[in-house]
Amino acid sequence: MKGVDQLRRSDCHYAVASGEGFSFPEAVESGLGMSVPSREFDGLCIAAFGNSAISSQFAADACGRSGILAHVASEGRLPGWAGLGTLVLVVSYAGRREASEALAEAKSRGCAVGWISSAQIGDAEDAVSVLPEGLSSSDAVGMEIGVLSAFLGKNGRIGPRDEVEASLPGLKEYRDVLAGGSVPVGLEDLRGKVPAFYALTDAIASARSWKAAFEPFCPMTFFGELTEFDHNEIVGWCSPNGFAGDLRMVVLRMSGGLPELDRTVDCMLEVLGEHGREVLVIEFEGGLASAELKAVMLSWIASGIPEVEDRWQAWG
Amino acid sequence: MAGLGIRDQVHNQLEDLEGTMEWGSGRIDCDNVILCGMGGSAISGIVAADCFMEASPVPIKVVKGFTIPPWAGPRTVAVVSSYSGNTRETLSMYEAAFRQGCRIIAITSGGTLGRWAERDGVPVGKVPAGIQPRQSLGYTIGYISSILRMCGCGDIGGDVRRSLPGLREYRAVLESPDGPAGRIAEALKASVPVFVSSGPMQAVAFRWKTQFNENSKKVAFCATEEELCGCMRSRPEGSYSIVHIGDDPGVRERVRGFTESIGAGFVDVPAGGSCVFESMFRMILLGDYASIGVAESLGLEPEPVIPIRDLKGKLASIIPPGGEERRWAAEAGSPNLCR
């Protein structure tokens, strides 16, 4: 996987050749360029496991924006309507046992099936894409996003693919800015704490990505939705919670394109501030799909900042 | 309803449910159903959708936010639920549903949603005023279940009727001074709770999260086993309790193992019950009472939700609810009417 080449020392604050997340755009691009099969289907159901839930949620959200009903099967629980005419896509980069079980269940119901993995989780004829082994977490997620988008586009659902293709130039540009040292401050302080990441419901894959990216570095991580937060969780976060001083709240701020949504988030942050709650807000520019991809990429870069800095120091 | 304390509101949820389970009759021919709501109204949709999901031949999607999916149209039944009738996101979803030609059914105590529904000839499942939105769960689950039955999603009425006697007995246990609600409240009052579950109980864990935030005034989270147990196994600085809700022994033991590895408190809450619906509602009642118990043990009033009030005040000063009403003429035979 060709990532961003190591930049001149004078131009670069972070060693980028192997930093987690920095080759995410190229991973997405590779996925988009992969050969994918044609399938006929009416209904679409995506069952994903592990970090593949991030890419699958992104694809499902993109489907929704494009007018395609796509169900995300949490824990592999297929809906009652999944049957003849339904395509069940199972995504598991690592090749979890539950993924194979979900495929078998789908087949038993007469569903058409497809799978995406680095392992042989199903019959070869049902593979949508066999991914390379040994990818980093961020590259695996990126490649899955690309493959899912390509597959949907190949089969007449072009909206998601178009969104991802259009986002790539901006994503690479954003990556280059990050590689130059312009990473939002405060992210390295999340390590060892208990952070909760919040994003818009229609971009929830990004919050899920941040939760996953920080899992290796925190005792627990959580994610949640805006603006649902305003109707319940805001009460808890406005309280002192004195016995849990390690709680951290992070808002991944993107524009949903609706002024009332932006105003609601503004007012939410004001209320939290008035009740003494500090919130780390990270803004992402662009349309929702573009902003969400940037947020996913930054989650992996941000979680790996200390290691990148160590490498940079080691190079003297 | 005026003057009912929150414990009474929790108590009445079974009777509220029983009173709305048989609402409406006939069949609504549709391709899919969207359940539109926020907060307490959304939870009813989440719980109901989970009860029906694995058997329903009709797709059911819970929608939260300012818009509805572009694929929703004339063959979609949009259940638009807002207890107050003034929730901004829900009003926006109502407008979108109207614009996209969905068949709308409203659930509300009145407010702007009630006015719009009356103006547009939209059927309304009426909820009485004077209770906390989060405690209107019984009414709204009953209405939503009736609507899903009419839409061909299945019928849980039999399960509900068979469960009610057992649920009433369980409620009496929960209301006793030394019942499980009190013990759970005691175990959780000085920590941040994390509610962990699998399968249909995920909706219940979500309910517990919101109830502990609103009633107990503390941060609370919910997660599946996979979401929780993938984290680094180190001791957090703060005080946390992991609460397993459900009856799966494998999940229980894995969650217990994770909890021990991080030095957090572990609370196991077996659901019991003779069917999925009964298990879920047993746990809903338990969570409601336990969250109130935590508030009372900390000397807090469970009912007021001041930050939500503050937020609504800020938003009202910008645009009043319904202040951006569109003009929709109610027409006889409109596709927006569910007959």
Side-chain angles (χ1 to χ4, degrees), chain A residues 7-153:
Chain A
L7 300 180
R8 286 201 315 270
R9 183 174 173 177
S10 59
D11 294 334
C12 179
H13 291 216
Y14 297 101
V16 300
S18 58
E20 180 83 68
F22 284 101
S23 51
F24 179 80
E26 284 73 24
V28 173
E29 197 166 37
S30 287
L32 271 176
M34 282 185 160
S35 172
V36 290
S38 297
R39 290 271 200 279
E40 294 207 6
F41 57 92
D42 299 321
L44 177 63
C45 184
I46 308 176
F49 300 88
N51 285 346
S52 299
I54 300 166
S55 52
S56 302
Q57 185 66 60
F58 177 88
D61 292 343
C63 283
R65 287 191 289 270
S66 302
I68 306 160
L69 197 168
H71 177 86
V72 177
S74 170
E75 294 181 315
R77 292 170 66 211
L78 297 180
W81 53 266
L84 284 174
T86 303
L87 173 67
V88 175
L89 273 179
V90 178
V91 190
S92 170
Y93 178 73
R96 300 250 303 251
R97 171 185 52 83
E98 297 93 322
S100 300
E101 291 171 357
L103 278 169
E105 167 69 19
K107 278 196 163 182
S108 75
R109 294 190 186 202
C111 303
V113 301
W115 57 267
I116 300 170
S117 179
S118 67
Q120 189 82 26
I121 61 171
D123 296 333
E125 69 209 25
D126 296 328
V128 167
S129 186
V130 181
L131 303 181
E133 291 183 56
L135 293 179
S136 66
S137 300
S138 57
D139 284 350
V141 168
M143 196 171 282
E144 286 170 354
I145 287 174
V147 167
L148 283 164
S149 304
F151 176 78
L152 290 165

Side-chain angles (χ1 to χ4, degrees), chain B:
Chain B
M1 288 295 145
L4 270 184
I6 195 165
R7 279 187 175 271
D8 291 328
Q9 295 172 37
V10 173
H11 176 99
N12 290 346
Q13 286 177 134
L14 287 179
E15 284 71 35
D16 299 342
L17 169 67
E18 191 176 23
T20 52
M21 276 302 299
E22 304 300 328
W23 187 70
S25 61
R27 182 77 161 84
I28 305 172
D29 181 32
C30 64
D31 290 342
N32 45 67
V33 180
I34 57 175
L35 305 175
C36 309
M38 306 295 295
S41 301
I43 290 163
S44 309
I46 292 166
V47 170
D50 237 356
C51 284
F52 283 83
M53 193 269 287
E54 291 191 60
S56 173
V58 178
I60 305 167
K61 182 168 175 63
V62 175
V63 181
K64 295 181 272 184
F66 284 87
T67 61
I68 66 172
W71 49 257
R75 298 281 303 161
T76 301
V77 169
V79 182
V80 181
S81 179
S82 163
Y83 177 76
S84 66
N86 295 324
T87 306
R88 291 162 190 285
E89 292 94 330
T90 313
L91 293 175
S92 183
M93 287 194 279
Y94 179 96
E95 291 185 310
F98 207 105
R99 216 163 37 236
Q100 291 174 218
C102 302
R103 283 175 275 186
I104 303 172
I105 303 174
I107 300 174
T108 185
S109 69
T112 301
L113 181 60
R115 285 203 316 277
W116 287 2
E118 186 178 352
R119 177 197 64 196
D120 300 333
V122 163
V124 178
K126 197 76 162 60
V127 186
I131 60 176
Q132 287 291 334
R134 58 195 184 273
Q135 301 312 148
S136 66
L137 190 81
Y139 290 109
T140 47
I141 288 181
Y143 281 128
I144 291 173
S145 299
S146 302
I147 294 164
L148 293 178
R149 181 190 71 245
M150 288 189 275
C151 292
C153 300
D155 188 354
I156 64 168
D159 282 348
V160 174
R161 280 188 293 277
R162 282 187 292 275
S163 300
L164 281 172
L167 285 169
R168 289 192 172 101
E169 281 179 23
Y170 187 64
R171 179 178 60 187
V173 169
L174 296 179
E175 291 174 347
S176 64
D178 54 354
R183 291 197 294 276
I184 290 172
E186 187 60 31
L188 299 183
K189 70 180 184 183
S191 61
V192 170
V194 180
F195 305 112
V196 187
S197 61
S198 61
M201 287 297 163
Q202 289 179 49
V204 172
F206 184 82
R207 169 69 171 185
W208 280 52
K209 176 187 84 167
T210 60
Q211 290 295 79
F212 275 75
N213 269 282
E214 290 187 76
N215 290 338
S216 314
K217 323 299 182 212
K218 56 164 67 194
V219 171
F221 299 106
C222 64
T224 63
E225 175 208 343
E226 178 179 18
E227 287 166 354
L228 181 73
C229 297
C231 294
M232 176 176 79
R233 300 201 172 210
S234 68
R235 184 180 289 268
E237 296 167 15
S239 176
Y240 295 83
S241 295
I242 312 298
V243 183
H244 170 251
I245 304 172
D247 297 310
D248 187 317
V251 174
R252 175 188 306 124
E253 290 317 305
R254 288 189 293 273
V255 172
R256 186 198 303 271
F258 172 82
T259 307
E260 287 169 359
S261 73
I262 67 168
F266 179 72
V267 179
D268 185 47
V269 185
S274 59
C275 64
V276 168
F277 172 78
E278 185 177 356
S279 302
M280 290 174 80
F281 221 90
R282 280 167 63 96
M283 292 299 96
I284 286 169
L285 288 174
L286 175 56
D288 285 6
Y289 282 118
S291 62
I292 293 169
V294 168
E296 291 169 347
S297 71
L298 295 173
L300 301 171
E301 289 286 331
E303 282 205 66
V305 282
I306 293 170
I308 295 177
R309 181 203 69 191
D310 290 350
L311 177 59
K312 289 183 176 177
K314 285 180 182 290
L315 290 170
S317 69
I318 300 171
I319 300 172
E324 291 178 339
E325 291 187 36
R326 311 288 189 261
R327 293 186 175 276
W328 300 105
E331 298 172 11
S334 162
N336 302 106
L337 302 181
C338 287
R339 301 190 189 283

Side-chain angles (χ1 to χ4, degrees), chain A residues 226-271:
Chain A
L226 304 177
T227 54
E228 172 65 22
F229 174 93
D230 298 343
H231 298 267
N232 36 68
E233 290 178 80
I234 191 173
V235 180
W237 280 98
C238 283
S239 301
N241 294 284
F243 36 76
D246 52 346
L247 284 169
R248 295 291 183 271
M249 182 175 167
V250 181
V251 168
L252 309 173
R253 183 114 195 231
M254 341 180 163
S255 175
L258 298 168
E260 55 265 49
L261 180 61
D262 294 335
R263 282 195 291 266
T264 303
V265 175
D266 285 339
C267 290
M268 175 198 84
L269 292 171
E270 276 182 34
V271 170

Side-chain angles (χ1 to χ4, degrees), chain A residues 131-212:
Chain A
L131 303 181
E133 291 183 56
L135 293 179
S136 66
S137 300
S138 57
D139 284 350
V141 168
M143 196 171 282
E144 286 170 354
I145 287 174
V147 167
L148 283 164
S149 304
F151 176 78
L152 290 165
K154 176 83 177 270
N155 291 284
R157 281 77 171 177
I158 62 172
R161 185 198 65 202
D162 289 351
E163 272 191 338
V164 172
E165 279 181 348
S167 300
L168 273 176
L171 190 63
K172 289 179 180 176
E173 198 177 300
Y174 183 58
R175 182 268 314 279
D176 294 345
V177 167
L178 296 173
S182 300
V183 177
V185 295
L187 295 174
E188 61 275 16
D189 293 337
L190 296 177
R191 285 195 172 197
K193 305 302 182 191
V194 179
F197 304 97
Y198 292 90
L200 297 178
T201 299
D202 291 342
I204 200 61
S206 61
R208 193 183 268 279
S209 183
W210 279 75
K211 179 231 181 310

